[in-house]
Amino acid sequence: MSRNNAGLSTERIITEALRIIDGQGLRRLTMRRLGDALNVEAMAVYHHFPLGKEQLFEAIVAYITDVTPSAASSEEEADTDQGESPAADPYRGMSAEVPWDERLRNWARAYRQALLRHSGALTLLINRRPDTPAATRSLELHYAAFHEAGLRGAAVVQASAVLDSYVTGAVIHEVREAGLAGAAPAVVDGRFPHVHRLDNVALDPDQRFEEGLEATLSALARDA
Amino acid sequence: MSRNNAGLSTERIITEALRIIDGQGLRRLTMRRLGDALNVEAMAVYHHFPLGKEQLFEAIVAYITDVTPSAASSEEEADTDQGESPAADPYRGMSAEVPWDERLRNWARAYRQALLRHSGALTLLINRRPDTPAATRSLELHYAAFHEAGLRGAAVVQASAVLDSYVTGAVIHEVREAGLAGAAPAVVDGRFPHVHRLDNVALDPDQRFEEGLEATLSALARDA
DNA sequence: ACCTGAACACCGTTCAAGT
DNA sequence: ACCTGAACACCGTTCAAGT
């Protein structure tokens, strides 16, 4: 029955790969395990990704980082829902009617959520080039918004880079700190008075992100 | 001659591992290759890192991210120079005599340089917890500086997180963009007018980092 | 204590073959 | 076109053994 034509597709492969990454970690994503999860021989994946695992990784990054609307404006049904909860609204509030700063906030929130949702794949982002169509759409959204804010030329590029840096860095910071939960309390002795004093200060991750976002955006807009 | 006691040490192993990472990439750092580079059987490394490759990775991250002075203040000879160029000055300008904002700038510059110098190991940073002694020293430096700037309580922790996020994110942004150099020019057609217009705008990476750093620091200090 | 060498259970990928 | 299955050249790690 499962002899031939198992209905494999790049989409199905990527989705299944992400399920493995999210559930077991990136290191346990092997071609053989991926084949098993797809009820297929491992080597079947190579027919859809001839360049092998590296090409699969690139496709995963492109899939994850796609957070901008690809069509005209809004009012469209999501034909390719990204996953489990249909309650969440992707691509919301990035169309031209929305004020520029709110558009950037919505992009930043969507991008953070996308990275957090598959934080096990975060490490794939670093070594891969940001030249996917989705990345270009994000760039266009950034440039249009900062242009509307009054920035021009190099300042626009600069602002976009800083915003992207903050969001990416904040997610990494959040993920690294979350890993601290089950660990030993670290050695905070007299040499670190400030750390000792503020050790029990806990911030809500969402609020922390929002505050940092506000600080970043206001600093960038002030140059206009 | 190379039968026994080959003079292995954790320091030598880490240094050699970084040489392989910097020269050939993280993927080519294997225990056997590392053993070869150390003129030793691969399994000898396990005597110094009993928990295997994961423990080695942690040590590498701790080694790389150590950018703060560990001793009292300054005026000390570097007994463990981090590598090639003795012209560079590690740990400069982070002592208490220096104004708080300049201390933070110097930390940010040193941290960026440390990450850039071994950008092939950047991916190791993400999944590992920031609870090394060096990381705690950086945190103490942050907290002390922002306290001096007038921030208190949660605002101090928040500011430190944002600063760390910016620097980490900026390095990742820089590394990803640098990978764009030899690639195809990407598809920038009529759908991306702003990207098209600003496509040839090139910023000096150092200047770009400095400007983003100023924007971030000024936004954080303004809350005082 | 420090290192060797064989062995085991995996990997990614190539290739010829099936349908 | 799409998938199989055997094979190859690697991996990380365990373990008993050497000195």
Side-chain angles (χ1 to χ4, degrees), chain B residues 6-81:
Chain B
L8 230 47
S9 70
T10 60
E11 171 100 18
R12 220 163 75 76
I13 292 173
I14 293 171
T15 302
E16 202 60 41
L18 275 173
R19 193 196 310 283
I20 294 176
I21 292 174
D22 295 341
Q24 316 186 257
L26 183 61
R27 297 186 25 189
R28 288 186 59 84
L29 173 63
T30 70
M31 298 306 261
R32 289 175 227 259
R33 230 185 302 266
L34 180 55
D36 273 0
L38 292 162
N39 291 317
V40 111
E41 205 66 23
M43 304 312 133
V45 174
Y46 283 83
H47 191 265
H48 299 265
F49 296 93
L51 276 53
K53 210 176 185 185
E54 173 57 30
Q55 192 180 12
L56 174 59
F57 282 160
E58 269 181 25
I60 290 174
V61 170
Y63 184 88
I64 289 176
T65 56
D66 188 358
V67 295
T68 56
S70 58
S73 52
S74 50
E75 252 61 48
E76 298 210 13
E77 219 56 35
D79 50 347
T80 58
D81 62 316

Side-chain angles (χ1 to χ4, degrees), chain A:
Chain A
M1 61 194 315
S2 71
R3 261 260 161 269
N4 217 326
N5 221 327
L8 229 46
S9 69
T10 59
E11 171 99 20
R12 220 163 75 74
I13 292 173
I14 293 171
T15 303
E16 203 60 42
L18 275 172
R19 193 197 310 284
I20 294 175
I21 292 174
D22 294 341
Q24 314 185 248
L26 182 61
R27 294 185 26 185
R28 287 185 60 82
L29 173 63
T30 69
M31 299 306 262
R32 288 174 228 261
R33 231 185 302 265
L34 180 55
D36 273 1
L38 292 162
N39 290 318
V40 109
E41 204 67 22
M43 303 314 130
V45 175
Y46 283 83
H47 190 266
H48 300 265
F49 296 93
L51 276 52
K53 210 176 186 186
E54 172 57 29
Q55 192 181 12
L56 174 60
F57 282 161
E58 268 181 25
I60 290 173
V61 170
Y63 183 89
I64 291 176
T65 56
D66 187 357
V67 295
T68 56
S70 57
S73 52
S74 51
E75 249 64 47
E76 299 211 11
E77 220 56 34
D79 50 347
T80 58
D81 62 315
Q82 276 227 13
E84 42 278 12
S85 74
D89 40 2
Y91 313 152
R92 182 87 93 209
M94 301 192 211
S95 57
E97 306 95 62
V98 182
W100 67 267
D101 57 330
E102 200 57 24
R103 248 146 58 209
L104 289 176
R105 273 188 205 95
N106 288 328
W107 173 86
R109 287 166 187 146
Y111 194 59
R112 167 171 175 258
Q113 290 299 342
L115 297 187
L116 279 180
R117 181 192 289 270
H118 303 290
S119 64
L122 205 53
T123 184
L124 295 179
L125 198 72
I126 296 186
N127 297 327
R128 264 147 272 271
R129 307 183 313 265
D131 58 354
T132 62
T136 307
R137 283 202 298 276
S138 285
L139 212 56
E140 177 69 17
L141 187 146
H142 286 179
Y143 287 3
F146 282 119
H147 182 88
E148 203 173 311
L151 300 186
R152 292 295 179 270
V156 172
V157 179
Q158 168 70 13
S160 170
V162 172
L163 179 60
D164 179 77
S165 296
Y166 168 69
V167 178
T168 306
V171 171
I172 291 176
H173 191 97
E174 188 172 343
V175 169
R176 293 189 76 195
E177 205 158 56
L180 238 57
V187 253
V188 182
D189 51 23
R191 293 175 302 165
F192 309 112
H194 293 90
V195 174
H196 183 71
R197 193 179 320 125
L198 296 169
D199 210 13
N200 53 351
V201 173
L203 274 76
D204 175 59
D206 292 349
Q207 190 191 336
R208 192 202 201 78
F209 176 77
E210 291 292 331
E211 288 182 17
L213 180 58
E214 290 313 311
T216 302
L217 281 179
S218 70
L220 293 175
R222 199 149 24 85
D223 296 343

